[in-house]
C-alpha cells in the first residue's frame, strides 16, 4: 500500500476509482475530477496546494493498493477558513464502497497526521456526520475528542472533533 499524490500515469487507475463510487458522492470532493480532462484535474490539484479563490491551500493523497488500484483519498487542509472551522476541518477522507471496513481510512489518517506536525499544527479539527459510525470511530481511534455538534444544511447532525498530535 502506498499513500501518494496522483501522477500523469495514474489516469486508468483513477478513472476506475471514480467508477467504483457508482452513484455515491465521492469524498473528499477534492478527489473528484468532475468529468474534466485528467490533465486538467491534475493541474487543479497542484493549484489547490497554493490555495485558490476562497479555498485554503490543500493537498490530496490517494491510497494505492497492489496492482495500482486506488481505494481512497484524503485531503489535508493546513489552514482553516470560517466554513472549515464549522464543518470540514483540516482533513477530509473517503474510501470507495468496495474497500470500506478494512481499516484503510484509519491507515490514511495515521499517515497524514505527521504532515501537520511538520508544519507546526498540533491540533487537528475533523468533522463527521453522526450517522457515519465508521468515520466517527476512525477519529476516536486516533484519540479524537468531540468538541461540539452542528447541523448541516441537509438537516443531518455532525460532530466536531479535535485530535492533538
Amino acid at each position: 500500500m502506498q499513500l501518494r499524490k496522483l501522477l500523469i500515469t495514474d489516469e486508468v487507475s483513477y478513472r476506475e476509482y471514480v467508477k467504483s463510487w457508482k452513484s455515491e458522492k465521492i469524498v473528499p470532493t477534492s478527489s473528484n475530477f468532475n468529468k474534466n480532462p485528467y490533465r486538467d484535474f491534475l493541474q487543479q490539484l497542484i493549484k489547490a496546494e497554493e490555495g485558490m479563490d476562497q479555498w485554503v491551500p490543500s493537498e490530496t493523497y490517494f491510497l494505492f493498493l497492489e496492482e495500482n488500484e486506488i481505494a481512497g483519498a484524503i485531503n489535508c487542509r493546513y489552514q482553516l477558513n470560517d466554513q472549515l472551522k464549522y464543518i470540514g476541518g483540516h482533513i477530509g477522507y473517503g474510501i470507495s464502497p468496495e474497500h470500506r471496513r478494512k481499516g484503510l481510512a484509519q491507515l490514511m489518517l495515521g499517515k497524514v497526521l505527521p504532515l501537520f506536525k511538520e508544519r507546526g499544527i498540533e491540533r487537528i479539527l475533523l468533522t463527521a456526520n453522526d450517522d457515519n459510525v465508521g468515520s466517527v470511530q476512525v477519529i476516536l481511534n486516533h484519540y479524537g475528542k468531540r468538541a461540539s455538534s452542528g447541523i448541516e444544511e441537509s438537516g443531518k447532525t455532525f460532530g466536531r472533533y479535535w485530535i492533538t498530535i
Side-chain angles (χ1 to χ4, degrees):
M1 274 187 256
Q2 183 182 27
L3 188 67
R4 63 173 174 80
K5 295 177 184 178
L6 287 177
L7 304 172
I8 192 70
T9 55
D10 293 323
E11 182 173 4
V12 171
S13 297
Y14 176 75
R15 291 192 182 280
E16 288 301 315
Y17 170 70
V18 169
K19 284 183 202 172
S20 74
W21 283 83
K22 298 178 178 128
S23 62
E24 281 190 48
K25 178 184 171 191
I26 298 175
V27 290
T29 55
S30 65
S31 65
N32 187 355
F33 76 123
N34 295 320
K35 300 193 177 20
N36 291 328
Y38 182 72
R39 286 181 184 269
D40 292 351
F41 174 60
L42 291 180
Q43 286 303 312
Q44 179 183 325
L45 291 174
I46 291 167
K47 287 180 183 175
E49 292 181 16
E50 301 163 5
M52 307 178 318
D53 302 323
Q54 76 275 16
W55 303 105
V56 300
S58 68
E59 294 179 310
T60 302
Y61 296 90
F62 292 80
L63 182 64
F64 285 81
L65 304 177
E66 294 157 17
E67 309 217 359
N68 222 29
E69 180 183 7
I70 300 173
I74 191 163
N75 181 249
C76 301
R77 301 175 284 264
Y78 302 111
Q79 299 172 11
L80 296 177
N81 59 22
D82 288 340
Q83 179 182 344
L84 292 172
K85 287 176 185 175
Y86 180 68
I87 187 167
H90 285 101
I91 298 173
Y93 54 84
I95 300 292
S96 69
E98 64 195 62
H99 290 293
R100 292 181 186 152
R101 294 177 179 76
K102 298 177 182 178
L104 298 177
Q106 178 99 359
L107 176 85
M108 286 193 312
L109 183 56
K111 287 188 175 283
V112 301
L113 290 176
L115 299 176
F116 287 86
K117 188 144 180 110
E118 289 171 11
R119 288 169 172 79
I121 304 168
E122 296 185 357
R123 286 188 71 221
I124 312 300
L125 177 65
L126 291 96
T127 65
N129 286 343
D130 290 335
D131 63 355
N132 189 343
V133 177
S135 188
V136 170
Q137 192 60 53
V138 167
I139 295 167
L140 295 175
N141 287 348
H142 283 280
Y143 305 102
K145 303 287 185 219
R146 189 174 179 123
S148 62
S149 299
I151 300 175
E152 288 186 16
E153 290 177 15
S154 64
K156 289 187 175 188
T157 60
F158 65 91
R160 298 173 70 251
Y161 300 83
W162 287 98
I163 295 175
T164 303
I165 52 175

